[in-house]
Amino acid sequence: MSNSSIYLKALPSWFVQPAAKWAWISLSAFATLQGHFNRTIFDAPWAGQVSDSSLAQTNSSAHFSRLQNINTTDFVVYDSKFFSIIGAEATIEHVQKLAYQSHEAPCYIQNTRQLFFVEWGPPGGVDGIHKWQYLLDVDTNSLKKIVTDPPTLNAHGCVSYQDHLYVATDGAGSSESGSLVQIDPVSLKKKVLLNNFFGQPFAGFNDLEMDREGNFYLTDSKSGWGREIVNFAPPTNPSIYFVNNTTMQSKIIWTTDGNANGVAISPDGKTLYIPDTGVSNFRPSNKNPYGKRMLWAFDISGSGAVLANKRMLGNPLSYFYDGIRASREGWLFAGSGDGVDVIDPETGFVLGSIRVGGGSNVAVSLAFGEHEMWIVGSTKIDPGNIRP
């Protein structure tokens, strides 16, 4: 098939009749752009300013058949590996639209076939203190607002493990410190597992990951303080805590003067991935283009309690990485504003992007289901029918 844009490549011949809209970027064409071009780190590549009319048309107009313009696609390809990771059957569907702002902490509950997620941050609740959690039935698309017993305040991150939800919270003012809690998704009974480091309150947990043995990796961040959910200055720089699930002994294993956000473990349990999101400033809240946006990789010791061989895996193409998860095959999936980037864990290259609502929504965090991925962010939840 003829290609009317030098910036896009024809889809592979074996990739027959995809169910969604795809664009395959010609990296050689993008390597030497003509005329004037500019964009900030917060804009997606196809949202930049360009004087080349052909590129402008490729980015935004709808005049292709199988070759979609970039800004109306569901999937953008940078590397041919992305085709087989996602598959031609993949679709993007909006299943819920809520009136509130950011949504966080998605957890797929296999036994009940439900998705747990929360509304996070002001203006929810009273003075930003919220206890809004939801269960979405993935078969019927019915949504139920829940309250745990006792209530869980300011939930921010979640992992589903052995029939329970493990949730990281920001804390709530002076009444409750940032905590690690266990929730029974059926009875909704909540149990606090950890709420201090030897008498020191946590700044406010952002996210968590668990290894095969059930040990915890918790990101303690400035986000709760920045949103004025907690009313004390962070006691330490943003850090990663390792917590032994048997003894509940805890220790800091990494710290940054940026911000600790998402965290993920490779399927073999040997590598920890941490996005540093110092690009987000707090009090006043703004985005600093010179702030840290790195995605770090570390080797994990046999005990799990020591990190070594720190290396920078990469920076996002745009925006910054928020929630991050590793698939069963080791690919990294990270919320990156316009959508979810799929990252090669060996090279750090972005293989492709899963765009949320054609880029009209912000992808914050994600969870893998049976054969789909659930994405939460600003205003909507999107399941991508992919093979994680």
Side-chain angles (χ1 to χ4, degrees), residues 52 55 71 83 91 191 209 252-253 292 295 343 348 354:
D52 181 348
L55 178 55
N71 205 37
F83 289 110
T91 58
K191 178 182 179 182
E209 180 66 289
I252 289 178
I253 57 174
K292 295 182 177 180
L295 176 59
I343 306 157
I354 303 166

Side-chain angles (χ1 to χ4, degrees), residues 14-15 22 79-89 329 331 387:
W14 58 268
F15 201 76
W22 290 71
D79 188 295
S80 59
K81 296 176 185 175
F82 189 66
F83 289 110
S84 57
I85 293 172
I86 303 300
E89 303 85 7
E329 295 177 344
W331 308 113
R387 296 189 294 273

Side-chain angles (χ1 to χ4, degrees), residues 114-297:
Q114 293 174 308
L115 183 78
F116 171 88
F117 69 98
V118 308
E119 188 275 341
W120 181 79
V126 179
D127 294 329
I129 306 301
H130 65 85
K131 53 184 178 182
W132 297 348
Q133 291 107 41
Y134 302 90
L135 286 175
L136 175 71
D137 186 304
V138 304
D139 295 316
T140 65
N141 195 28
S142 60
L143 186 67
K144 178 173 67 174
K145 184 178 177 181
I146 63 170
V147 178
T148 63
D149 179 21
T152 303
L153 302 180
N154 296 333
H156 204 143
C158 179
V159 169
S160 181
Y161 182 82
Q162 293 185 350
D163 302 330
H164 283 87
L165 302 179
Y166 292 88
V167 174
T169 80
D170 279 305
S174 59
S175 63
E176 186 174 307
S177 61
S179 304
L180 168 65
V181 304
Q182 180 192 71
I183 298 173
D184 184 320
V186 178
S187 69
L188 299 182
K189 292 289 185 180
K190 183 193 83 169
K191 178 182 179 182
V192 177
L193 302 181
L194 180 72
N195 67 1
N196 74 96
F197 181 67
F198 295 96
Q200 170 194 295
F202 296 108
F205 291 133
N206 187 293
D207 210 343
L208 76 161
E209 180 66 289
M210 298 177 70
D211 65 17
R212 296 173 177 178
E213 289 71 41
N215 300 313
F216 301 96
Y217 295 87
L218 293 148
T219 63
D220 197 33
S221 82
K222 296 184 292 188
S223 300
W225 173 78
R227 294 291 189 100
E228 301 185 35
I229 288 174
V230 293
N231 56 8
F232 57 87
T236 66
N237 275 331
S239 303
I240 306 291
Y241 284 84
F242 172 82
V243 182
N244 183 289
N245 79 319
T246 302
T247 65
M248 296 309 295
Q249 189 169 15
S250 58
K251 60 172 288 196
I252 289 178
I253 57 174
W254 181 74
T255 189
T256 177
D257 58 1
N259 199 28
N261 208 317
V263 59
I265 297 178
S266 62
D268 62 7
K270 295 180 179 180
T271 308
L272 191 73
Y273 303 100
I274 301 172
D276 191 329
T277 56
V279 65
S280 292
N281 287 335
F282 298 104
R283 298 198 184 187
S285 178
N286 58 59
K287 297 294 187 290
N288 174 13
Y290 305 111
K292 295 182 177 180
R293 300 191 303 136
M294 300 83 108
L295 176 59
W296 298 104

Side-chain angles (χ1 to χ4, degrees), residues 234-388:
T236 66
N237 275 331
S239 303
I240 306 291
Y241 284 84
F242 172 82
V243 182
N244 183 289
N245 79 319
T246 302
T247 65
M248 296 309 295
Q249 189 169 15
S250 58
K251 60 172 288 196
I252 289 178
I253 57 174
W254 181 74
T255 189
T256 177
D257 58 1
N259 199 28
N261 208 317
V263 59
I265 297 178
S266 62
D268 62 7
K270 295 180 179 180
T271 308
L272 191 73
Y273 303 100
I274 301 172
D276 191 329
T277 56
V279 65
S280 292
N281 287 335
F282 298 104
R283 298 198 184 187
S285 178
N286 58 59
K287 297 294 187 290
N288 174 13
Y290 305 111
K292 295 182 177 180
R293 300 191 303 136
M294 300 83 108
L295 176 59
W296 298 104
F298 300 81
D299 293 341
I300 303 174
S301 67
S303 68
V306 177
L307 300 182
N309 190 24
K310 175 184 175 182
R311 62 266 190 200
M312 182 177 165
L313 193 60
N315 260 16
L317 299 180
S318 62
Y319 209 60
F320 57 88
Y321 290 143
D322 199 314
I324 183 170
R325 291 290 177 245
S327 74
R328 290 189 296 264
E329 295 177 344
W331 308 113
L332 300 177
F333 290 71
S336 184
D338 184 79
V340 173
D341 283 354
V342 180
I343 306 157
D344 188 320
E346 295 297 324
T347 66
F349 283 127
V350 177
L351 304 177
S353 296
I354 303 166
R355 305 188 67 233
V356 182
S360 61
N361 302 296
V362 175
V364 174
S365 194
L366 58 117
F368 294 124
E370 301 291 337
H371 298 286
E372 74 280 347
M373 182 174 68
W374 298 89
I375 305 167
V376 299
S378 295
T379 73
K380 295 182 180 180
I381 310 170
D382 298 89
N385 180 21
I386 66 171
R387 296 189 294 273

